């Protein structure tokens, strides 16, 4: 995973893409109560970039896993979106690599990761959901 906070000036201008440093991610995750890192607790990262928040969340979830099933439950509980295809690909690769540090991911685990990390414009999805609920803001 790169330590750079930007990939290019163009991506910052067009997509407001700026990456969060690991120390800030850890500091923010430290503010969340430990029990929120149970394998079954669901997390959605609507602008996942290269997955730095998802990776930190998974590390903390994996430390609480007691069985192979717990690891699969943890994987099933995270979701990420990004508008950039390269970020989605990198996030998927990063999550699989992290899993390999703890256990051998099954084909089903890898399929779950591929299905849970998607390329989309999360802002448009949020606006659509708001419109469907009658909130046009």
């Amino acid at each position: 995973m790169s330590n750079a906070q930007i990939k290019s000036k163009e991506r910052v201008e067009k997509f407001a893409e700026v990456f969060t440093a690991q120390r800030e991610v850890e500091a923010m995750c430290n503010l969340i109560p430990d029990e929120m890192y149970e394998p079954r607790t669901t997390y959605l990262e609507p602008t996942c970039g290269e997955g730095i928040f998802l990776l930190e969340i998974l590390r903390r979830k994996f430390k609480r896993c007691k069985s192979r099933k717990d690891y699969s439950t943890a994987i099933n509980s995270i979701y990420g979106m990004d508008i950039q295809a390269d970020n989605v690909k990198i996030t998927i690769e990063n999550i699989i690599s992290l899993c390999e540090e703890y256990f051998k991911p099954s084909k089903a685990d890898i399929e779950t990761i591929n299905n849970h990390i998607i390329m989309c414009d999360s802002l448009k999805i949020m606006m659509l959901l708001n419109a469907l609920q009658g909130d046009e803001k």
Side-chain angles (χ1 to χ4, degrees):
M1 178 165 281
S2 170
N3 287 328
Q5 287 196 271
I6 66 168
K7 287 187 177 180
S8 73
K9 182 180 176 190
E10 294 77 25
R11 285 172 72 134
V12 173
E13 290 172 355
K14 186 170 183 183
F15 300 105
E17 180 184 70
V18 178
F19 295 93
T20 308
Q22 181 67 36
R23 71 178 180 275
E24 279 84 24
V25 170
E26 290 173 10
M28 285 186 259
C29 287
N30 287 341
L31 297 172
I32 299 171
D34 285 343
E35 61 269 14
M36 296 303 294
Y37 294 109
E38 289 295 326
R40 69 182 178 281
T41 305
T42 302
Y43 284 86
L44 166 65
E45 171 56 278
T47 56
C48 69
E50 295 181 354
I52 193 165
F53 276 99
L54 294 174
L55 292 167
E56 184 62 28
I57 289 164
L58 275 175
R59 276 187 203 93
R60 292 167 189 238
K61 286 173 163 278
F62 288 170
K63 288 178 183 174
R64 300 176 76 89
C65 291
K66 295 181 175 108
S67 69
R68 176 62 181 82
K69 183 179 178 186
D70 285 347
Y71 288 107
S72 291
T73 299
I75 291 167
N76 271 301
S77 72
I78 61 153
Y79 299 85
M81 304 175 192
D82 202 88
I83 199 167
Q84 300 290 345
D86 62 324
N87 287 343
V88 170
K89 181 178 184 288
I90 292 167
T91 297
I92 291 169
E93 292 168 354
N94 287 338
I95 290 172
I96 292 170
S97 292
L98 178 66
C99 290
E100 290 170 343
E101 293 176 24
Y102 290 85
F103 64 97
K104 181 173 176 20
S106 67
K107 286 182 183 180
D109 292 328
I110 292 171
E111 183 178 342
T112 297
I113 294 165
N114 278 288
N115 289 333
H116 284 208
I117 310 301
I118 62 170
M119 187 180 119
C120 67
D121 184 338
S122 60
L123 183 57
K124 286 183 181 174
I125 289 174
M126 301 300 175
M127 291 170 61
L128 174 63
L129 290 172
N130 282 342
L132 290 173
Q133 293 177 359
D135 182 6
E136 297 294 325
K137 296 178 185 172

